[in-house]
Amino acid sequence: MTQEEFDEISKWQKETFGQATPLSKLAHLLQEVVELKDALVNEKENPTSTNFNKVRMEYADCFFLLFGSAAAYGFSHQNICDAVQEKYEINKIRKWGKPDENGVVNHVKE
């Protein structure tokens, strides 16, 4: 997401959902993550262009809410980009375990 897109979407969210807080946006995000999971399962079982597009739109909803929560908290586009880069550098040097029964891999805590 570009700086301009971030600013435009953040402004629209504030105007449209002015009462929303960083936490309320995350509560909504949890609902959207379930919808994304369901869409992914459905698309895997029935791979159609319609189902693929549903997955795309659910990802977009999740990103809107995550970035919206960050913006409502006071983070700028640059703050988020910097944090992502910093966390990426941290993750690159971590040791990672084996996938669990769900395929989730966590870093090894030392």
Side-chain angles (χ1 to χ4, degrees):
M1 180 180 294
T2 66
Q3 171 81 49
E4 184 178 320
E5 291 166 331
F6 177 86
D7 292 343
E8 182 179 342
I9 291 168
S10 297
K11 180 180 180 224
W12 174 82
Q13 284 185 352
K14 188 170 186 170
E15 290 170 355
T16 306
F17 311 109
Q19 74 287 0
T21 67
L23 288 174
S24 69
K25 289 173 188 263
L26 288 182
H28 188 177
L29 174 61
L30 293 174
Q31 295 171 357
E32 291 295 336
V33 167
V34 170
E35 290 181 21
L36 172 58
K37 178 183 158 277
D38 291 345
L40 285 164
V41 168
N42 186 45
E43 200 277 333
K44 182 179 181 182
E45 293 171 354
N46 187 16
T48 66
S49 60
T50 300
N51 289 342
F52 176 79
N53 195 51
K54 175 71 172 160
V55 169
R56 287 179 60 243
M57 294 297 105
E58 293 301 336
Y59 270 116
D61 283 342
C62 291
F63 281 114
F64 283 148
L65 287 160
L66 189 57
F67 282 120
S69 176
Y73 188 74
F75 286 122
S76 69
H77 180 266
Q78 192 60 54
N79 293 144
I80 295 167
C81 290
D82 291 346
V84 167
Q85 185 60 41
E86 183 179 340
K87 188 65 175 194
Y88 174 57
E89 295 301 325
I90 291 168
N91 283 341
K92 285 193 317 187
I93 62 174
R94 282 183 160 161
K95 293 182 182 160
W96 295 89
K98 302 229 184 269
D100 67 13
E101 64 277 358
N102 296 313
V104 175
V105 178
N106 290 301
H107 68 88
V108 177
K109 297 184 182 183
E110 298 178 28

